[in-house]
Amino acid sequence: MSARNLILPDPATSYRAVENLIAQYAQLVDDGDFSGLGNLLADATFIGSRGPVSGRDAIKKFFEDTVIVYADGTPHTHHVTTNVAIEVTEETGTASSRSYVTVFQALPDLPLQPIGCGRYEDSFQRRDGRWRFVERRVRITHVGDASRHLKQTAAQH
């Protein structure tokens, strides 16, 4: 079959799959499910203020070592991802995205407040018919009181 006759996946389906990965990341962080984050980013490199971390176990450990988790097993955060721009190249099975992130936190003795915001720059690849993260680059540009969220305030996600 020539390249002209190749049937490519529907771009809308690919776009939705990538968008779902972006949403899943936020949900896993907010749930304190660092094993799930390790699985989600198993084939990826996570790049934040502390440099790159790659692989399921290293990423899980990074979040365990960085994020404060409370008695209910969560960090009491709410990650909001907005201004999501996704570009899919079906021919190569690759995609990239740019988005904004705002992290809110509330605790019984801490009113709801934004504790950080910035940008995500992501790369994805479709392998075996499934989209996966290849890279997540986090650039936190504004930091509020993250002392109740991060074990070391220099760590950012």
Side-chain angles (χ1 to χ4, degrees), residues 11-64:
T13 302
S14 294
Y15 178 92
R16 177 59 76 191
V18 167
E19 189 175 47
N20 286 342
L21 289 172
I22 294 167
Q24 188 178 4
Y25 172 89
Q27 293 163 354
L28 290 167
V29 173
D30 293 337
D31 288 345
D33 184 352
F34 304 144
S35 291
L37 276 173
N39 290 333
L40 181 69
L41 300 172
D43 300 322
T45 298
F46 179 90
I47 304 167
S49 64
R50 301 174 113 188
V53 181
S54 298
R56 178 185 339 265
D57 294 337
I59 289 170
K60 176 183 178 229
K61 183 176 180 345
F62 169 80
F63 281 92
E64 289 172 343

Side-chain angles (χ1 to χ4, degrees), residues 68-90:
I68 297 169
V69 175
Y70 293 88
D72 67 352
T74 74
H76 289 251
T77 55
H78 186 90
H79 285 65
V80 178
T81 310
T82 60
N83 298 17
V84 179
I86 299 171
E87 298 171 10
V88 175
T89 306
E90 290 296 350

Side-chain angles (χ1 to χ4, degrees), residues 117-135:
C117 60
R119 297 183 78 155
Y120 292 144
E121 296 173 5
D122 300 318
S123 298
F124 305 89
Q125 184 175 45
R126 185 177 47 237
R127 285 189 226 143
D128 302 321
R130 189 172 146 250
W131 285 97
R132 305 163 198 256
F133 273 97
V134 173
E135 181 178 280

Side-chain angles (χ1 to χ4, degrees), residues 64-157:
E64 289 172 343
D65 291 348
T66 304
V67 177
I68 297 169
V69 175
Y70 293 88
D72 67 352
T74 74
H76 289 251
T77 55
H78 186 90
H79 285 65
V80 178
T81 310
T82 60
N83 298 17
V84 179
I86 299 171
E87 298 171 10
V88 175
T89 306
E90 290 296 350
E91 295 80 8
T92 59
T94 59
S96 62
S97 73
R98 296 170 316 285
S99 56
Y100 291 166
V101 59
T102 303
V103 183
F104 295 91
Q105 186 176 40
L107 294 159
D109 61 339
L110 180 75
L112 179 65
Q113 59 188 279
I115 61 170
C117 60
R119 297 183 78 155
Y120 292 144
E121 296 173 5
D122 300 318
S123 298
F124 305 89
Q125 184 175 45
R126 185 177 47 237
R127 285 189 226 143
D128 302 321
R130 189 172 146 250
W131 285 97
R132 305 163 198 256
F133 273 97
V134 173
E135 181 178 280
R136 166 148 277 196
R137 184 176 299 269
V138 180
R139 297 174 195 259
I140 299 299
T141 56
H142 298 80
V143 179
D145 181 0
S147 65
R148 308 282 296 277
H149 176 51
L150 300 175
K151 294 178 183 176
Q152 297 177 350
T153 56
Q156 298 172 355
H157 74 282

